[in-house]
Amino acid sequence: MNQDAPREEWASRSGFLLAAVGSAVGLGNMWRFSYLTAENGGAAFLVLYLGITLLVGLPVLLAEFVLGRGARRGPIGALAHYGGRGWASLGWLFVGTGFLILSYYSVISGWTLRYALTALVRGFPADAGAFFESVATGPASIAWHVGFMAISIAIVRGGVKRGIERTALVLMPLLFVLVVGLALYATTLDGARAGYRFYLEADLGALTDPKVLQAAAGQAFFSLSLGMGAMMTYASYLGQNEHLPNESLVVAIADFGVAFVAGLAVFPLIFALGLQADVGESTVGALFITLPKTFASMGGAGRLVGTLFFVALVVGALTSAISLLEVVVAAAVSGLGWSRHRAATLLGAVIAVLGIPSALSLDTLGFLDQLAGNVFLVFGGLMLALFVGWAMRDPMAEVRPGAEGVAWFGLWRWLLRIPVPIVLAVVLVQSLRALFE
Ligand code: PFF
């Protein structure tokens, strides 16, 4: 056991914040967000998604921060610390979810790496559909996935300060600049108006559709990295004086903001060539087929913009992947007494192998994404809300240090007790139904 070794800490508050925002902002904000928005009625989805982020996601995010900081351990240790052995098993589920999500997340990340290099080196071919097929499955897909895992492993091996924090400090500002720049560029496109209209005009009928609620909730959890202890693990490297309510608010707003601004780039690009009909075809269509088609038709500008777009995706994917890997690594370091080096290398290799089925079949990948995002994360969030809302002895005493003046902790706890579990239970039942339909 490594219990006695002093726990690593973030070097600075901004390092922690950027790392947490880095975990949240990723493929979810661009790939998942854009196809779900397209599929679920544009602005109606957006409104619901924002509402769920603030009323359901934010309270759970704060709960994860509180548990991690207070226990100074990863999810298994933190839940054992506050709830005993029974609750620790929820921590095991979290670690398992980390394995599962990273296994396919890294496959998609491998595609983005390849897309970025293709855009840079020779531009996208006109037949974007055939190009996607050649990239998405088969030995090439496995190779890029393994390459991406190797980069993630190298960063996590570097440790909290020198690996994760330093990466976030360099890459996250770059990502913000890229996404804002792309959105500004998109204002100059012919299709911009039609794109904005689709994105921002609400079809209010969709608000009452239970399918849209389910998609919005699953997306909020996936995008905020909630329900599997990633935020808990990052918070476990904090000192005791952080203002956790502020930190959670910053993370939630930054995460929504990047998704929103990315949409301001994606939808005009899709509508620039009138390609919107393609989008609904598959979950990967919008980003990996329609956009490259647009870039291919734009000549030199397309190469530059395409490169920047996919570089932004790679950056987002990487800062999220390392948080997924960190959950698993932290569990092995404190639970099994492994060195960080060994845990990152061995467990990263296991995840690389687990990802192979997703690199061979889009159906497998899609199924795992539904299972993890809409079922495991939502279930994890539900259990966390019940734990902090009802079972934990005095969460108010744990959240207060560093945030003494805050008046709404009662509201926070009430949200975790009643509304959050109700919403998540409804969503969970629906997700399970949809999965086995
Ligand atoms: N939040 C990441 C994204 O939006 O791409 C994905 C993710 C990272 C989910 C870490 C869960 C997690 F623990």
Side-chain angles (χ1 to χ4, degrees), residues 268-331:
L269 278 165
I270 288 174
F271 280 74
L273 291 189
L275 290 172
Q276 59 273 27
D278 284 14
V279 174
E281 268 174 26
S282 71
T283 54
V284 287
L287 223 64
F288 291 100
I289 302 177
T290 310
L291 282 184
K293 254 188 215 172
T294 310
F295 294 138
S297 73
M298 283 164 42
R303 263 177 82 169
L304 176 66
V305 180
T307 305
L308 297 178
F309 187 89
F310 282 100
V311 165
L313 264 171
V314 170
V315 165
L318 191 62
T319 51
S320 297
I322 55 181
S323 74
L324 287 158
L325 186 55
E326 180 63 22
V327 170
V328 172
V329 167

Side-chain angles (χ1 to χ4, degrees), residues 63-73 78 81-82 232 235-240 244 392 398-399 401:
E64 286 211 22
F65 279 172
V66 167
L67 293 173
R69 178 185 69 172
R72 313 199 88 202
R73 304 195 194 145
H81 175 77
Y82 285 113
M232 215 189 278
S236 75
Y237 304 118
L238 277 176
Q240 300 300 309
L244 294 181
M392 189 174 164
E398 301 290 326
V399 70

Side-chain angles (χ1 to χ4, degrees), residues 334-357:
S334 64
L336 303 172
W338 286 13
S339 73
R340 168 172 285 278
H341 258 237
R342 176 171 175 194
T345 313
L346 283 182
L347 299 175
V350 169
I351 291 169
V353 173
L354 287 177
I356 291 176

Side-chain angles (χ1 to χ4, degrees), residues 95-121:
V95 174
T97 307
F99 273 95
L100 180 72
I101 296 186
L102 186 51
S103 76
Y104 74 83
Y105 197 86
S106 162
V107 171
I108 306 173
S109 306
W111 304 344
T112 62
L113 204 52
R114 174 126 182 238
Y115 268 61
L117 283 176
T118 303
L120 179 70
V121 175

Side-chain angles (χ1 to χ4, degrees), residues 168-423:
L169 283 171
V170 175
L171 290 185
M172 290 315 290
L174 171 69
L175 184 133
F176 297 142
V177 171
L178 285 174
V179 171
V180 170
L182 287 162
L184 289 176
Y185 168 75
T187 59
T188 66
L189 296 170
D190 283 344
R193 251 165 199 284
Y196 295 143
R197 198 170 308 129
F198 173 78
Y199 183 35
L200 300 174
E201 244 172 42
D203 158 17
L204 292 179
L207 277 179
T208 53
D209 182 347
K211 240 189 66 227
V212 179
L213 172 72
Q214 177 217 340
Q219 173 62 9
F221 271 68
F222 187 88
S223 191
L224 284 170
S225 307
L226 291 181
M228 54 152 286
M231 290 302 186
M232 215 189 278
T233 305
Y234 273 10
S236 75
Y237 304 118
L238 277 176
Q240 300 300 309
N241 289 321
E242 297 293 320
H243 195 300
L244 294 181
N246 279 357
E247 315 289 49
S248 53
L249 202 60
V250 170
V251 173
I253 289 175
D255 184 51
F256 180 84
V258 172
F260 180 74
V261 177
L264 292 176
V266 168
F267 289 103
L269 278 165
I270 288 174
F271 280 74
L273 291 189
L275 290 172
Q276 59 273 27
D278 284 14
V279 174
E281 268 174 26
S282 71
T283 54
V284 287
L287 223 64
F288 291 100
I289 302 177
T290 310
L291 282 184
K293 254 188 215 172
T294 310
F295 294 138
S297 73
M298 283 164 42
R303 263 177 82 169
L304 176 66
V305 180
T307 305
L308 297 178
F309 187 89
F310 282 100
V311 165
L313 264 171
V314 170
V315 165
L318 191 62
T319 51
S320 297
I322 55 181
S323 74
L324 287 158
L325 186 55
E326 180 63 22
V327 170
V328 172
V329 167
V333 169
S334 64
L336 303 172
W338 286 13
S339 73
R340 168 172 285 278
H341 258 237
R342 176 171 175 194
T345 313
L346 283 182
L347 299 175
V350 169
I351 291 169
V353 173
L354 287 177
I356 291 176
S358 297
L360 295 176
S361 152
L362 287 178
D363 288 340
T364 305
L365 188 155
F367 177 79
L368 293 181
D369 181 51
Q370 293 300 311
L371 183 67
N374 294 349
V375 178
F376 285 1
L377 296 184
V378 171
F379 176 74
L382 171 63
M383 297 307 286
L384 281 173
L386 292 174
F387 178 65
V388 175
W390 296 96
M392 189 174 164
R393 207 164 302 126
D394 193 1
M396 312 290 260
E398 301 290 326
V399 70
R400 207 164 283 127
E404 281 79 11
V406 174
W408 47 265
F409 288 137
L411 174 65
W412 170 62
R413 183 132 199 235
W414 178 77
L415 284 169
L416 288 175
R417 285 190 159 199
I418 299 168
V420 171
I422 292 177
V423 172

